[in-house]
Amino acid sequence: MTEDMTAAAIARAVNAGERKATDVLDEAYERIAATETDLGAYLQLTHDLARAQAARVDARIAAGEHLPLAGVPLALKDNMCYIGTRTTCGSKMLENWVAPYDATAVRRMLDAGAVPVGKTNMDEFAMGSSCENSALGVTRNPYDRERVPGGSSGGSAATVGAGHVPLSLGSDTGGSIREPAAFCNVVGFKPTYGRISRYGLIAFASSLDQIGPFARTVEDAALAYDVMAGFDRMDATTVDRPVEPTATALRTDLKGLRIGLVREFDPSALGTEIAALYKRSYDELKDLGATLVDVELPTAEYGLATYYLIAPAECSSNLSRFDGVRYGLRVPGATVGEMYENTRAAGFGPEVKRRILIGTYALSSGYYDAYYVKAQKARTRVAEDFARAFASCDLIASPAASSPAFRFNAKSDPYSMYLMDYYTIPMSLAGLPSLSVPCGAVTPDDGGRAMPMGLQLVAPLFGEQLLLGAAHAYERATGHANALAAVTA
Amino acid sequence: MASDGIDVRYVAKLARLALTDTELEQYGTQLGALLEHVSVLQKLDTDTIAATAQVIEARNVDRDDLVLPGLDHAAVMAGAPDPQHGFFRVPRIIASEG
Amino acid sequence: MTTTAASGVTYEAVIGIECHVELKTKSKMFCGCPNVFGAPANTNVCPVCLAMPGALPVPNRQAIEHLVRAGLAFGAEIPAFSKFDRKNYFYPDMPKDYQISQFDMPLTQGGVVRFMLEDGTKGECRLTRIHLEEDTGKSTHAGSGDGRIAGSTYSLVDFNRAGVPLMECVGEPDIRSAAEAVAYLETLKRTFVALGVSDVKMEEGSLRCDANVSVRPVGQAEYGTKAEIKNMNSFRSVYHAIESEVARQIAVIESGGRVIQETRGWDEQAGTTHSMRSKEKAHDYRYFPDPDLVPMAFAPDDVARIRAELPIGPYERFVKYVDGFGLSVAQATQLVDNGALATYFDAVADGSGQPQAALNFVLGDLSRLANESQIAVADSKVTPAALIELVGLVQAKTINSKIAKELIVKLWAEGGSPKAIVERDGLAQISDPAALAGFLDTVLAANEKSVADFRAGKENAFKFLVGQVMKASRGTANPALVEEALRSRLSSEA
Ligand SMILES: [Mg+2]
Ligand SMILES: [Zn+2]
């Protein structure tokens, strides 16, 4: 996509009075109209709200204000509350629920001048890695309509990958931003846990969920982060400590940085072509002045098991509130108990039920210590491993996903789908800031056109400034994203 | 780690999910398989390890005792499946079934 | 309290009480909705207390401090680390279908509740813990005619109360009678009111309690099977429910039956308890640390500061008044239940060293004037200092008790110093023989008939003459001396 379509360029032009937010918005809707029918990134387009917001932005600019995201078209994952919009979480349970309040992150983006154009498709309640678990629609990959966009934030990744909008928001619990970013050839960034308020983000796993941006450039992701990050009195798990600005601290080289390559994440296990791709990526890091060092994460192999106990346990409790009493779907029953069971049976899809069941089991009497507590302790070990690794490096580099985007229905066995998050889950367990930046393309095992891949970069807790700075240097030097063109209709 | 089969019927009751016999069967198998996968944790020594509930180490994050505006009644009832006289109506409650 | 049954076996009751008390705060436990009673249904609610998707709890610091104060008032220990847990179960008036509560790390642990019964005997009950949680909404059951859940066809839910801060006080099974149970609850109530942590209005449901009741032959070490009694909505019903349940259990055992572990509801009209659940199902609450909240940690000096600021407790007052001052339990209760009055009384009693005199003025003259004028004694013009001065004047016989009563009325009206008023109005008692002789001359001269009657043996003529002398002195004459002088005059002049 062209330079003048980045969030930075749009905000610059709108602030300078060279472009109107309302015009920028119209152009975005034109681009969406051109490819959305077969892409299916959105569950709803919010034309009226968007026009009103764009007009508000133009008025504020006319009044002399300067807004960091003035007029920037924005897509919102449909698990974020935005007043007056249906907020469905990709579930029949909330198919017609209209949010009466704004998520803090959404509110901060609105105040910064961003213009939400619609709500994007997702795996139901953010549980999945392909968007196939959405109960409300199919989203396809902008680079091959036969393939999934990744998930759970598939719609938000796809709309940016397709060039509809420069910026979107997703949420990442075990890789739900980084994996689809890799699949859709965009930048996807999950900040440190507690950096961006979860207030108004419909919970999947509270101790892991984190909102983050998708963008075409690292700079745009940084702009969005700078707007959203910081303590929120409505979320007791946000961290009350100053936010280092990132958009103004981007780097052009990696001189003096030690980048750790994780022994347990050796890409050669992923086949020769993918191994070669990552070898090249690591060389590119070195060419930019970084020193590559080997690090170990002995508990990496336990990440998946740990995650698939903790996340379901939390979700089994978080999703109890969907009981047909106060809002959302209700399926009648002779008694309240029957009404609950009928409502939840009809409202939740198979993957959500699976996770509620496993989580309920892991917390139930007699199994709590063996499963839930054991997983919490394993989580401590994972975090300790990273702390040890970061003693000898400043950043960690690894694949963002074990393969490029796969075809629909390719992962029928639940566990094979869970494996997609193998490289992203450990960072989530440790709460670490991490992102995926495009690093080229490979031909999938099952043929077809070359599909994008992502390089995952990871920093210590609160290391966003260094992380985004380094990713920017890599992106500028390699320009991999631009080497690949999305399919247009 | 207890690797005995899951009593899916009991767990489904706790989770208030109505499941058909086929589903009970199917989920039982899938959850059993997942438990096999997670049983690798048995290999991990955690005897002297503290449990992590939160990765952030904050303490005493609380609020002043101040009244803040809530939702107006119309907005509250707007999404109610069965509103009645400003209340949320629910079917017969069996005390023991809660 | 023990009961000897027909069989000759003597039983004792073993009672443990759990109560939930709504805390007095401006806003709810985890959101900014007002914590008030009686608003129209579902008008004091927000995304948080309605458990709307995406909403998150943030704890109310005031509620946490209230709980710590409550615990410290009973000598509980405040752990350095405490956390919130989720108690998972589905119920229509519980918005999240889990309750934010505390499982294994409550805010306070241990402590003892000491109480005094109406006959002055003392008792105590150990506290297991007091923990912080959130209240549920309220369901109104329709279709059963009597508003009961049994037989109802549907229910209407109001979430105004959902999320109101609640403390759960769990007591050890140390209580042995219905009277002790009530005394225990009275102490809790008086303590919480004195601390300002709760209004404890049972009629508004701000204190709700369950009693675990069992009986066992005196001398038997192990407890009998217990029943949990619910639906007791006043201290009176707590008393009667326990009495009735103890009798029922003894009757069951005496007739060769077994008491079964169950939940029983108190039926106020019938005056009996009835089984609420056929079978007690084991709950599986799946407690786990709430990942939306971070732990609470208390520095020892913060705890020490709060402890230092605690007011004197009701039990301590009872001991001081009954054991120390020899007041009756009824008198002590009058004071304890009126904190301001008790503080006023303490000031006068301690300041004058005459608790009984202070009590007579405070509960007598002053309380009467307070009722008439609708002004609280503590807010009246009669300062503790003034009353101390007045008590001193009486003790020094500077004024007599009759004058003292007049003086109180003046002080109530105009305030100021009793001494000054006594001087100004010449109310000092007259004991000077010469001055008294003067009054006698006048009175005897003016009442020759009475003098004659007296001499004729009419004793009440004497009383009349004394009254006349007092009258002549406007009440200031020393009555004892007046009688003395009068008798000698009348006899000598025979
Ligand atoms: Mg409780
Ligand atoms: Zn509220």
Side-chain angles (χ1 to χ4, degrees), chain C residues 20 87 99 101 131 133 168:
Chain C
H20 288 85
K87 181 182 185 180
Q99 178 191 36
S101 181
H131 71 251
E133 55 187 34
E168 178 173 335

Side-chain angles (χ1 to χ4, degrees), chain B residues 68 70-71, chain C residues 28 30-34 44-50 159 162-163:
Chain B
L68 303 171
L71 289 170
Chain C
K28 290 185 181 181
F30 295 109
C31 65
C33 292
N44 289 334
V45 288
C46 73
V48 176
C49 56
L50 275 175
F159 291 100

